Amino acid sequence: SDHFELGRILIDQGKHEEAFEFFKFSTQIEIEKFGEEHPRIARSYYLIGMELRFNEMFATSITYLLKAMEMDKRFFGENNIRIGRILQALGSTYNDQGEYDMALEQYKKALELKQLHLGINHPEIEELYRNIGNTYFNQDMFEEAIDAYTKALNIAFKCRTPNHSAIGFLYTDIG
């Protein structure tokens, strides 16, 4: 709906709380139009979960992300790429709140699913390895972090232009 798109524009402007309100409103409209069991509702729950994460409302974020994942599993099956993206979002949410073991568990599940669908040299795989590296770094597990960052960098060299910002960020991560 238009409210959903307005919410996305607000995200681009850094207005996350306002975007969250638009997403909630849009979701209500979609529920009225399509019913509760529809892929668009799952997508809305995912986006609400992401906005809640940005607003540091982690427990509620996880609730929405899990709800989106349950619905997407029913609609698209257990091994769909959408599940991989939700798992990555869950990993980031757990990482943000310092639950590093849970974050790594979600990231590794996401990595397996995404590699299945995207191959091993894709920007989303690079991003996942960087997330894994960050989680290890947050735990002072520097060797594991460097290993994950190096994997991300090797992928970035294959799927990005030489002057892409992701490559610079990875060099900074490695130190």
Side-chain angles (χ1 to χ4, degrees), residues 110-141:
L111 183 63
E112 187 177 313
L113 260 177
K114 285 186 168 193
Q115 284 178 329
L116 177 69
H117 291 280
L118 303 172
I120 59 173
N121 294 318
H122 189 279
E124 287 189 37
I125 305 302
E126 167 211 317
E127 181 183 340
L128 258 169
Y129 275 119
R130 185 164 189 235
N131 290 349
I132 290 168
N134 290 340
T135 303
Y136 282 130
F137 184 86
N138 291 339
Q139 298 177 84
D140 296 331
M141 299 173 70

Side-chain angles (χ1 to χ4, degrees), residues 17-98:
E17 288 182 30
E18 291 175 57
F20 174 65
E21 292 303 318
F22 274 94
F23 287 147
K24 283 193 332 189
F25 187 68
S26 175
T27 301
Q28 273 311 117
I29 291 170
E30 288 179 342
I31 288 172
E32 290 172 16
K33 185 174 181 178
F34 300 111
E36 293 235 7
E37 288 296 313
H38 193 277
R40 288 182 70 146
I41 308 306
R43 180 189 67 160
S44 292
Y45 287 156
Y46 169 79
L47 290 168
I48 290 171
M50 294 299 292
E51 282 311 301
L52 289 164
R53 175 183 161 233
F54 286 120
N55 289 307
E56 298 184 359
M57 299 172 68
F58 301 123
T60 311
S61 170
I62 289 168
T63 299
Y64 274 95
L65 291 169
L66 289 172
K67 200 174 201 180
M69 186 164 63
E70 288 172 23
M71 291 177 78
D72 277 348
K73 283 181 179 179
R74 285 195 305 273
F75 300 133
F76 305 111
E78 297 271 333
N79 292 323
N80 189 277
I81 187 70
R82 290 170 66 137
I83 304 301
R85 291 184 177 125
I86 295 169
L87 287 165
Q88 183 171 354
L90 282 165
S92 295
T93 306
Y94 286 123
N95 185 63
D96 288 349
Q97 60 183 354

Side-chain angles (χ1 to χ4, degrees), residues 145-160:
I146 288 173
D147 182 54
Y149 291 146
T150 301
K151 288 177 182 176
L153 185 61
N154 289 333
I155 294 168
F157 282 137
K158 293 174 185 171
C159 68
R160 305 241 191 223

